[in-house]
Amino acid sequence: MLSDAEVQRILIIVAHPDDVDFSAAGTIAGWTDAGLEVGYCIVTDGDAGGHDESVPRAEIAPLRRKEQTAAAACVGVTDLRFLGYPDGMVEATLGLRKDLARVIRQVRPDRVVCPSPERNYARLPPSHPDHRAVGSAALDAVYPDARNPFAFPELRTDEGLDAWTVREIWLPGGPAPNHWVDVTGTFDRKVAALRAHESQTAHMDNLADFLRGWLARSAAQGGLPEGRLAEAFQVIEAG
Ligand SMILES: [Zn+2]
């Protein structure tokens, strides 16, 4: 596994606004504190989300982009790219692979964080179909698309984007977690980031308690001392 000192840039690829904050915001706050460059690529605008039926659906996408931008600021991230795919309808198409390969070649990250393409049979919500489709397309974009100069050759000939090899992939909620990041010190910023997604979390009175319980269980699973909080990842060597 790469140490953070060997990493300059990190690209987070997710399906919906708020996914990154539930899965990895505490870890990301630590990375930006350490001076690493972190960018987000958000495939949909989450326009099928929300709970307030009085908000016209057409207003949801711009609102959720605004909320994600505010949430990113809580953990030191200002580079956000929204691909604008329709929420709830994402498929791991060649078109999505090309769009993600483009972003990877633009950002040139050492490490990519993306959802697991596998279904979690213990709990359904982490395996939303959009998450699985984005995870599958993102892994294919890392290998082989972004690194193969002859994959989507127009990225090179028309857009001047040279091939790029990502060296490491982190899957939050991957089927076989093998790395736990202690986020006790950044927990409050993770909660603030999630609170910035007002249209999603305003009704969750017990959000901080829920997160604390979840991250404490994760820390125990990772063998961290009692009282610590952790986000779990499956780290995959990709270089
Ligand atoms: Zn999601």
Side-chain angles (χ1 to χ4, degrees):
M1 201 182 110
L2 298 174
S3 75
D4 287 349
E6 298 172 272
V7 172
Q8 233 185 316
R9 286 178 302 276
I10 300 171
L11 176 64
I12 319 286
I13 299 173
V14 290
H16 309 116
D18 83 16
D19 288 352
V20 59
D21 297 301
F22 274 109
S23 61
T27 299
I28 291 164
W31 286 339
T32 58
D33 283 352
L36 305 183
E37 293 172 39
V38 180
Y40 292 172
C41 174
I42 296 142
V43 172
T44 81
D45 291 325
D47 43 297
H51 299 272
D52 185 349
E53 291 191 39
S54 68
V55 179
R57 297 313 298 180
E59 289 176 17
I60 298 286
L63 173 68
R64 296 206 66 188
R65 287 188 183 211
K66 210 172 123 214
E67 290 175 344
Q68 182 64 77
T69 304
C74 296
V75 295
V77 175
T78 54
D79 176 16
L80 289 86
R81 296 150 202 261
F82 295 94
L83 299 187
Y85 279 63
D87 185 7
M89 301 174 71
V90 183
E91 293 179 299
T93 59
L94 283 169
L96 178 57
R97 280 169 54 180
K98 179 180 172 183
D99 285 341
L100 295 176
R102 176 187 292 111
V103 174
I104 289 168
R105 291 187 187 193
Q106 288 168 336
V107 174
R108 301 165 78 84
D110 305 295
R111 179 182 288 160
V112 162
V113 181
C114 66
S116 169
E118 292 188 48
R119 188 183 287 282
N120 177 342
Y121 286 101
R123 273 181 70 237
L124 286 178
S127 310
H128 187 289
D130 287 354
H131 298 183
R132 287 185 281 126
V134 167
S136 177
L139 292 178
D140 291 343
V142 166
Y143 178 87
D145 302 334
R147 70 184 62 186
N148 178 359
F150 306 108
F152 306 119
E154 61 276 21
L155 289 177
R156 204 158 53 118
T157 53
D158 300 352
E159 302 182 39
L161 294 168
D162 285 330
W164 179 258
T165 299
V166 175
R167 291 189 290 156
E168 194 173 77
I169 297 163
W170 288 35
L171 304 178
N178 57 6
H179 185 58
W180 288 263
V181 177
D182 189 327
V183 296
T184 317
T186 55
F187 176 75
D188 291 346
R189 287 155 75 193
K190 180 182 176 86
V191 175
L194 282 160
R195 282 292 180 210
H197 296 280
E198 273 181 49
S199 65
Q200 309 303 301
T201 60
H203 66 291
M204 295 183 190
D205 295 332
N206 59 352
L207 177 65
D209 289 342
F210 161 74
L211 290 169
R212 200 181 290 280
W214 174 27
L215 300 179
R217 282 192 299 281
S218 173
Q221 191 191 16
L224 275 71
E226 176 97 35
R228 309 307 290 181
L229 305 173
E231 290 171 339
F233 300 89
Q234 181 169 349
V235 178
I236 301 165
E237 200 267 317

